[in-house]
Amino acid sequence: MDRACVVVVGDIGRSPRMQYHALSLANQANLEVDLVGIAGSACWDEVQEHHSITTHAIQKIVVPSFLDDMWLVGKIYKVFVQFLYWLCYLLFIVPRPNYILVQTPPAVPILFIVWVVSWLRWSKLVIDWHNYGYTILNLNQNANKYLVWIYRKFEKFFGRQSQDNFCVSSGMQNDLLVNWGIHAHVLYDRPPDHFRASTIDEMHELFTKYDFGLDTSVRTDLSKETAFTYIDDNLDVQLKTNRPVLIVSSTSWTEDEDFGVLLNALIELNNLTGDDSSFPEIRLVVTGDGDMRSHYEELFTQHNFPKIDLFTVFLPYPDYITLLGCSDLGICLHYSSSEYDLPMKVVDMFGCGLPVCAINYMCLPELVQHKVNGLIFEDYNGLCNQIMV
């Protein structure tokens, strides 16, 4: 039977698009599938239990701490070790595939690796373009223009070695064709079936587990009452009528998300509503992990908002879904380094029926239509006004 190898240089369990690809190749194309990614979150049950899908969780490459102050050297070390490890794994551990489907970015060094593997193992190479890696690198203050130029040349050259291509937006499809000579098919993201509105029991269980759900005024059994829910005399969970407004923003804490916009919106909101006793309490939960998390957490602690409590957490995938399914509003601050990718977090929110406010950029209307299926804002004033509404 023919085989496909699906490759993602990222947390394999938090790569819904690539898990979808694996399921589609197994169910619709009747292929044996090897799903290869970085160890982290668990894959969906239907992926783990599928008889035609084998998951390969590769350990994340850790840069030694003594290279922390040498950004470029650390990056070179990581690319070199990643190159050797992934090349050997795809050549000698994974059974020979007829097709290799790889997600980019990152492009370095994985596009070169899969090109070599496809050439040596006589496999057809297919690339799924989520964004351009060189535009993400360009946001990093440590990267000079020559390094970005080299990255772009690398990405373009090896991107053109593929036999087929997918991408996430019509804007990217056009740009790939016009500027890189690459023909790509648009495959819009769709929310997995398990993204849905949460049940009241699921809400209560979630709120008892995390600080953002606790009612600090309750001195009795915290499992029976949270800031949002309580268990009545019949042992049924009920929503409180005076519960806070729950707002969520999910993030990877990367340079293409400006949480300064959110912070300034909260400052403005506090200035406008501070003396308004009728304005409800807000609990804002920012969930995710990444390099810039500590930077923004430090900024958040410098401000005190009487009616706004801000929490930063990194939730397990099932709890993340439950949080989206019980929130009142979702905020997306992803503005796209290339302006051609579309935020998967908004797709997740739509799957849970969550109203969305998203910061504007060129391709966003392909996903969010203002006042049709969500709201689009341009700056912190716009976000502040939308939260108030």
Side-chain angles (χ1 to χ4, degrees):
M1 181 180 289
D2 286 352
R3 301 188 72 93
C5 179
V6 179
V7 179
V8 51
V9 186
D11 186 335
I12 191 172
R14 290 183 179 260
S15 302
R17 184 177 174 94
M18 304 312 283
Q19 292 185 73
Y20 258 140
H21 285 327
L23 288 170
S24 296
L25 291 169
N27 292 331
Q28 299 177 30
N30 295 318
L31 298 177
E32 292 291 324
V33 178
D34 293 286
L35 177 58
V36 186
I38 294 176
S41 306
C43 291
W44 304 335
D45 290 342
E46 54 264 47
V47 172
Q48 296 185 66
E49 297 167 1
H50 202 291
H51 66 278
S52 295
I53 300 177
T54 303
T55 57
H56 303 259
I58 295 178
Q59 293 303 310
K60 185 177 182 180
I61 305 299
V62 179
V63 178
S65 58
F66 66 84
L67 296 178
D68 286 348
D69 296 329
M70 295 179 282
W71 179 84
L72 183 58
V73 177
K75 288 295 184 184
I76 293 173
Y77 169 89
K78 184 175 181 180
V79 167
F80 179 73
V81 175
Q82 204 172 57
F83 169 78
L84 292 178
Y85 194 90
W86 281 77
L87 180 64
C88 292
Y89 199 97
L90 293 175
L91 276 177
F92 304 117
I93 304 299
V94 176
R96 177 193 169 274
N98 300 87
Y99 308 93
I100 299 176
L101 172 59
V102 62
Q103 169 186 309
T104 186
V108 178
I110 194 63
L111 290 188
F112 174 65
I113 294 171
V114 293
W115 174 70
V116 170
V117 173
S118 68
W119 185 75
L120 292 175
R121 306 193 78 176
W122 292 81
S123 306
K124 182 178 180 179
L125 177 59
V126 182
I127 298 177
D128 188 8
W129 298 85
H130 291 206
N131 200 351
Y132 296 128
Y134 80 91
T135 64
I136 297 175
L137 180 63
N138 193 46
L139 295 176
N140 194 306
Q141 295 179 351
N142 294 307
N144 61 49
K145 63 180 181 180
Y146 301 107
L147 191 61
V148 174
W149 181 84
I150 293 171
Y151 197 115
R152 184 181 186 276
K153 290 294 185 182
F154 176 98
E155 194 168 21
K156 181 177 181 179
F157 176 81
F158 287 104
R160 295 174 70 174
Q161 307 311 307
S162 60
Q163 283 74 54
D164 211 340
N165 297 270
F166 304 128
C167 64
V168 297
S169 72
S170 294
M172 176 169 277
Q173 179 189 44
N174 182 67
D175 188 73
L176 282 168
L177 180 61
V178 172
N179 295 315
W180 289 26
I182 294 174
H183 294 264
H185 308 279
V186 179
L187 290 179
Y188 287 114
D189 285 313
R190 295 290 182 266
D193 292 338
H194 45 262
F195 279 83
R196 53 172 176 76
S198 303
T199 67
I200 193 167
D201 291 322
E202 291 170 337
M203 295 182 195
H204 184 76
E205 181 181 358
L206 177 76
F207 295 142
T208 59
K209 292 165 61 176
Y210 299 99
D211 289 345
F212 62 78
L214 298 182
D215 187 342
T216 55
S217 66
V218 175
R219 301 303 180 195
T220 56
D221 188 351
L222 295 177
S223 66
K224 294 184 177 180
E225 185 172 356
T226 74
F228 301 87
T229 57
Y230 68 96
I231 297 178
D232 64 17
D233 295 337
N234 296 320
L235 301 182
D236 294 322
V237 179
Q238 304 290 342
L239 285 173
K240 287 184 173 180
T241 56
N242 61 339
R243 64 186 180 276
V245 175
L246 182 58
I247 301 176
V248 63
S249 182
S250 56
T251 178
S252 300
W253 296 107
T254 50
E255 290 90 347
D256 58 357
E257 292 178 297
D258 187 359
F259 274 83
V261 173
L262 176 61
L263 182 58
N264 288 330
L266 296 180
I267 293 172
E268 182 68 13
L269 184 66
N270 181 67
N271 292 337
L272 294 173
T273 64
D275 297 327
D276 186 355
S277 58
S278 64
F279 195 79
E281 175 191 350
I282 292 176
R283 295 201 177 185
L284 195 156
V285 182
V286 182
T287 174
D289 201 12
D291 295 338
M292 300 188 70
R293 177 177 175 177
S294 59
H295 166 72
Y296 280 111
E297 284 180 331
E298 184 177 350
L299 290 179
F300 292 156
T301 58
Q302 297 173 11
H303 298 272
N304 180 38
F305 306 113
K307 292 189 175 184
I308 305 171
D309 292 316
L310 199 153
F311 303 85
T312 57
V313 294
F314 182 45
L315 297 178
Y317 196 58
D319 288 346
Y320 164 67
I321 297 172
T322 303
L323 175 62
L324 294 187
C326 65
S327 295
D328 299 299
L329 177 67
I331 295 175
C332 175
L333 296 164
H334 175 85
Y335 59 83
S336 178
S337 58
S338 66
E339 300 213 31
Y340 292 123
D341 72 312
L342 297 174
M344 186 66 195
K345 65 198 72 180
V346 171
V347 178
D348 295 342
M349 292 173 183
F350 283 165
C352 293
L354 180 62
V356 173
C357 297
I359 194 166
N360 194 26
Y361 61 90
M362 185 168 59
C363 274
L364 183 67
E366 289 190 42
L367 178 62
V368 181
Q369 292 83 47
H370 187 57
K371 294 185 178 180
V372 176
N373 62 350
L375 296 176
I376 295 176
F377 59 90
E378 302 288 343
D379 52 27
Y380 73 90
N381 281 312
L383 177 57
C384 174
N385 292 332
Q386 290 175 6
I387 292 175
M388 290 183 66
V389 172

